[in-house]
Amino acid sequence: MTPEKPNDSRTFIVQQIESLDSAALANWMRARLHNRDRLVVTRDREPAYYLVANIYGFLERDIQADLSRIALHMLSEIEKRTWDTAPAAALLRLVDPLLMAPHHRQATIDVLQRIVQSRPPKDEIAFAAVQGLVALEHRATPRFWSNLLKRDERYAPTIFEAMARTLFGSLQEWLLRTLPHEEVEKAVVNALPFLVEDHGGDKLMSLLIAIEPHLTDPAKEQIKAFAAREQLTPALPSEDLLRGHLVRLLRCVDTMLWSETSEPNDETAMAFARYALIYRQELRRRRDAQSVVDKSLTSDWEIYVGILEHALARGDAFRTRAQSELLASLLQVRAKNVVDAINNYVQMHRGDTPIRFTVELRQRIVTALLLTREMRDVRNEYIRSNRSLGPGDSVMAILRDLQQ
Amino acid sequence: MELRRLEEVLSERERTEPGITKVIEEKLELLVGPAAGRQAGQNVREERLVYKEEWDALIDAVRGCAEDPDVIREVVRNVMSVHKLKGPLATCPSATVFGRAVVETDLAKTIHGSGRWGTLRWSQRTITYAKTLDNTEDLRMWWADIALGVYVMWATFNTDGRAPFEDLPTTADGIRAALGLSKTHEHEPLLLLEYTLEPGKAIMPRVTEAYAGPTWTHYFRPAGLLERKRGYGRTFPWDELAEQNGAGEPEIVHEPITGRCLTSPIVEKP
């Protein structure tokens, strides 16, 4: 019995495929994905669809276009549930390179969305369809991605990539809402090199500073090792960025208050909104006046705390809401991040300036934001410690200390 | 449990199930059509490292299936995938470093297929970055959860305790030919991965592993007497190399591993 000879040199395979007419090409593709390919015999032990991706770039344009059309048609068959899981997932993982052409993009996204919506998220076909959406840089909302993650944590790296590539501006918010989450954390760590390449070290460090309190120690160690290996220097947020944090923080609290208010004329919410408006007007006024950086930041923060104190003084309604899980987390975590960022900024830009400013503010935050006594003590201990930070210090060292 | 040949098990069952041998032989004969199927049928008949219970499961499944080569392949694949990696342990010293040579684009597809990233591009970038890590600990930490294979991983090693690729040719195509890898990527660089396995994880390759996955490789042969005595299989080198190294390189199979098992930085061999 003479065994078939493998004919797996790429040139030979390409010639074979290019000799097929459209119908034969579709049959071959279908057979290949179903592991029934009798045309191409290879030594491969890898999944059969790898070969399609491997030769696609070497095919003539007409044949590429034919294969793309065939793939799109097959996606509609998958939508109608006429394909088994393995070949369907294989085809979906061929969206790149087969369906990346701009003229196929929207049609592909449409069918992928329908596949995702019509299947349970743990289904391998749904998972591969989501990967296809990410490959096409589909700009779904953060809520779309979060819902997938809630239903199956296997989506974590895929969703993280989607957010980082298409919604980087919302990534920090999303991470703050999502962490701690073991799989998302792994995705963050694994993606660090790409985030540096795509967004620069400064933006990455700013992101890490913000999410650091929610990371586990092993992840922090990995990030620290990465920062050291890549010689990433501390990158502090700009004054504008910090002020932006404050504005966003206010807006969040404002929104939260309104969203939790059942009465249309709730006094606390209205009062807070009024104070928030005053704050924003004050910011605008001082921006116009081009006031000194550090001083304006300091007073910004004081105004912010003042607003909260005023709102708190309005009575139990706000206090009750502030103690609700979501709002308390918002007030504590977000405020802490902003304070940390301001503190770093002030220290780095003013050298040995005493940081009594921060002590006072933190004490006021403890009162105003209902932080626990333990947290206050830890904070004060950190502030009291006599550390000297210079431009050569790793941001991660600062982060680690802040976290303790 | 006893290791048997298919014909031995069939002959025993023939006593209580007259005609069973003919049914199974006819079904296996139908595999001649599909690519690598003829070799598969032949290998199944020659294999001696499969347990009686595994043959029984295969016989029962094949006997009842339709007389369609594609269906038979699917049935064989299903049975094999249940019993894969349950064969006799391979004989290798506990500190053996195993080697796997893989094309970067295929490794990227493996990472993508495992769900690590949404896109092939990011999977590829994962590899690009890993190649820059010349400290093994960094690499192990970075790739702790990165899958390096699917279904079953096939690996080579050096029987004299040296690094797995030390005595192999020095070029990517030379290594490809010695290990019997696909020619689809001929002239492309290979990534050489070196890793250790926990004791008891290196298994003798059998038809069970060769036909458990979606792709049935043409280039597999069951362990002969010599291989069984040595305790490991042999790769199936390219014909061009057969005269120099017809025996092939030592080969074992094991469960897919992650980058946590790597023992050296990744080497890219042009």
Side-chain angles (χ1 to χ4, degrees):
Chain A
M1 199 180 285
T2 310
E4 303 96 328
K5 286 285 182 190
N7 52 9
D8 56 349
S9 88
R10 188 168 56 213
T11 309
F12 186 80
I13 295 172
V14 166
Q15 284 170 354
Q16 274 185 306
I17 303 305
E18 286 178 344
S19 70
L20 303 174
D21 60 26
S22 287
L25 191 62
N27 287 339
W28 171 75
M29 178 83 159
R30 194 180 300 274
R32 185 80 201 163
L33 295 172
H34 284 81
N35 302 306
R36 294 170 183 171
D37 183 5
R38 298 174 193 193
L39 182 69
V40 179
V41 182
T42 72
R43 294 170 177 78
D44 280 325
R45 285 168 176 156
E46 312 297 349
Y49 75 91
Y50 286 17
L51 181 126
V52 181
N54 289 336
I55 62 163
Y56 182 78
F58 296 91
L59 295 170
E60 284 174 6
R61 278 174 182 264
D62 289 355
I63 304 294
Q64 285 184 349
D66 254 3
L67 266 182
S68 300
R69 275 194 296 274
I70 289 165
L72 191 53
H73 174 72
M74 286 176 173
L75 284 187
S76 64
E77 293 178 352
I78 292 172
E79 187 194 349
K80 291 170 191 153
R81 296 173 180 259
T82 56
W83 282 49
D84 289 339
T85 299
L91 178 64
L92 287 160
R93 294 203 168 101
L94 285 172
V95 164
D96 179 8
L98 266 59
L99 290 164
M100 299 300 280
H103 58 280
H104 285 310
R105 186 172 181 275
Q106 196 52 52
T108 308
I109 287 175
D110 290 346
V111 70
L112 291 178
Q113 279 183 313
R114 291 196 295 271
I115 290 172
V116 173
Q117 283 159 7
S118 64
R119 290 177 175 273
K122 285 188 190 298
D123 182 299
E124 185 65 15
I125 293 177
F127 184 81
V130 170
Q131 286 185 307
L133 287 173
V134 179
L136 291 164
E137 296 199 32
H138 173 53
R139 294 174 68 90
T141 62
R143 195 166 67 87
F144 171 83
W145 300 120
S146 294
N147 285 342
L148 285 173
L149 185 63
K150 276 181 203 156
R151 291 154 79 180
D152 188 351
E153 65 177 23
R154 189 184 171 212
Y155 282 92
T158 297
I159 290 171
F160 179 80
E161 180 185 346
M163 292 289 301
R165 290 176 64 206
T166 63
L167 291 165
F168 189 77
S170 306
L171 184 60
Q172 182 174 315
E173 284 288 332
W174 183 78
L175 285 172
L176 287 171
R177 278 201 310 272
T178 310
L179 293 169
H181 188 294
E182 191 181 347
E183 293 304 316
V184 171
E185 182 177 274
K186 282 181 191 170
V188 172
V189 170
N190 277 139
L192 291 174
F194 323 148
L195 296 177
V196 171
E197 283 174 15
D198 294 348
H199 303 285
D202 288 359
K203 276 191 179 174
L204 174 61
M205 281 305 176
S206 169
L207 175 74
L208 293 175
I209 287 169
I211 66 170
E212 179 272 343
H214 307 278
L215 297 172
T216 61
D217 286 342
K220 285 175 195 161
E221 283 303 310
Q222 283 190 289
I223 292 171
K224 183 182 166 191
F226 174 79
R229 185 166 55 242
E230 303 304 329
Q231 300 175 347
L232 291 175
T233 51
L236 292 170
S238 67
E239 184 203 358
D240 281 347
L241 189 68
L242 292 175
R243 189 171 285 114
H245 285 322
L246 286 176
V247 172
R248 275 194 292 279
L249 183 55
L250 277 174
R251 205 170 289 149
C252 279
V253 176
D254 195 6
T255 308
M256 286 292 304
L257 278 173
W258 282 110
S259 67
E260 294 205 353
T261 300
S262 54
E263 300 157 29
N265 296 317
D266 181 273
E267 276 190 19
T268 310
M270 287 175 68
F272 188 85
R274 250 192 332 270
Y275 288 121
L277 182 64
I278 293 168
Y279 171 76
R280 284 195 283 271
Q281 286 172 340
E282 176 66 14
L283 279 186
R284 257 197 303 277
R285 190 187 65 73
R286 275 196 271 115
R287 196 173 301 129
D288 294 342
Q290 295 182 327
S291 46
V292 180
V293 168
D294 294 335
K295 192 181 172 193
S296 67
L297 267 175
T298 305
S299 46
D300 278 1
W301 181 248
E302 284 172 343
I303 291 171
Y304 169 71
V305 173
I307 290 170
L308 284 175
E309 284 177 338
H310 275 94
L312 282 167
R314 304 289 301 186
D316 290 339
F318 182 89
R319 203 178 297 276
T320 306
R321 282 185 209 116
Q323 282 168 333
S324 77
E325 191 185 345
L326 195 55
L327 189 54
S329 155
L330 183 72
L331 292 174
Q332 292 179 15
V333 174
R334 292 293 305 274
K336 174 183 175 299
N337 290 338
V338 174
V339 171
D340 287 346
I342 292 174
N343 195 23
N344 282 341
Y345 183 88
V346 172
Q347 287 179 67
M348 295 300 287
H349 283 77
R350 292 168 60 172
D352 59 358
T353 302
I355 46 179
R356 288 174 57 80
F357 149 76
T358 314
V359 177
E360 288 168 9
L361 279 179
R362 283 175 192 277
Q363 284 173 343
R364 293 173 72 177
I365 296 163
V366 169
T367 308
L369 303 184
L370 311 171
L371 293 183
T372 63
R373 181 182 179 78
E374 288 77 13
M375 282 183 71
R376 183 186 62 191
D377 292 344
V378 169
R379 288 276 145 217
N380 288 343
E381 187 55 41
Y382 165 71
I383 300 301
R384 267 188 235 109
S385 66
N386 182 22
R387 67 189 64 255
S388 57
L389 297 168
D393 290 314
S394 158
V395 161
M396 292 315 297
I398 301 170
L399 290 177
R400 192 179 60 245
D401 290 338
L402 279 169
Q403 194 270 335
Q404 284 168 357
Chain B
M1 293 210 291
E2 290 175 82
L3 294 171
R4 308 293 278 277
R5 291 185 68 181
L6 175 62
E7 67 174 16
E8 293 168 356
V9 178
L10 281 171
S11 142
E12 282 170 24
R13 288 182 62 160
E14 192 68 35
R15 286 182 220 137
T16 54
E17 299 169 76
I20 183 77
T21 306
K22 186 166 177 286
V23 172
I24 299 302
E25 283 297 336
E26 283 174 358
K27 293 271 178 73
L28 290 181
E29 203 54 38
L30 289 173
L31 286 177
V32 167
R38 180 182 299 172
Q39 188 69 38
Q42 193 173 318
N43 286 344
V44 165
R45 292 183 186 94
E46 288 177 7
E47 180 62 86
R48 292 164 186 271
L49 291 177
V50 173
Y51 296 106
K52 179 178 180 306
E53 291 72 14
E54 296 170 343
W55 285 130
D56 279 333
L58 183 71
I59 292 166
D60 291 340
V62 170
R63 179 178 55 181
C65 78
E67 293 182 353
D68 174 337
D70 291 334
V71 174
I72 298 170
R73 272 170 73 92
E74 194 61 38
V75 163
V76 171
R77 186 181 297 123
N78 288 342
V79 174
M80 298 302 194
S81 64
V82 170
H83 296 285
K84 71 179 188 314
L85 299 170
K86 291 179 182 168
L89 295 185
T91 308
C92 346
S94 59
T96 299
V97 175
F98 297 95
R100 173 172 164 79
V102 62
V103 181
E104 186 168 331
T105 50
D106 279 356
L107 183 58
K109 291 184 191 81
T110 298
I111 294 170
H112 179 230
S114 74
R116 170 45 58 182
W117 295 120
T119 63
L120 202 52
R121 169 87 183 107
W122 270 42
S123 302
Q124 195 104 39
R125 293 173 89 180
T126 298
I127 300 170
T128 305
Y129 183 71
K131 286 195 296 185
T132 69
L133 298 177
D134 49 16
N135 178 308
T136 307
E137 273 314 302
D138 287 345
L139 178 62
R140 285 159 56 93
M141 191 165 73
W142 212 252
W143 268 26
D145 297 301
I146 299 291
L148 302 183
V150 283
Y151 309 118
V152 171
M153 281 179 68
W154 299 68
T156 190
F157 65 100
N158 185 297
T159 51
D160 296 328
R162 289 192 288 276
F165 297 104
E166 198 165 311
D167 294 343
L168 291 188
T170 54
T171 64
D173 282 344
I175 292 170
R176 217 173 246 125
L179 299 182
L181 304 181
S182 171
K183 285 184 175 177
T184 312
H185 297 282
E186 204 171 0
H187 310 318
E188 287 180 36
L190 276 175
L191 300 181
L192 306 185
L193 310 176
E194 296 187 3
Y195 53 89
T196 51
L197 297 170
E198 288 174 25
K201 297 292 184 188
I203 311 283
M204 286 281 286
R206 311 179 296 164
V207 288
T208 323
E209 286 74 36
Y211 306 125
T215 311
W216 286 14
T217 180
H218 170 82
Y219 270 42
F220 167 77
R221 55 188 172 191
L225 279 172
L226 191 57
E227 281 89 23
R228 294 207 300 280
K229 192 174 161 193
R230 285 172 171 159
Y232 49 82
R234 287 281 184 182
T235 63
F236 205 139
W238 291 359
D239 292 349
E240 300 90 304
L241 209 73
E243 277 188 20
Q244 303 157 40
N245 184 17
E249 298 299 324
E251 186 172 51
I252 57 102
V253 289
H254 60 85
E255 291 278 4
I257 55 162
T258 67
R260 201 187 302 272
C261 301
L262 292 169
T263 55
S264 311
I266 296 170
V267 171
E268 185 166 28
K269 185 68 77 176

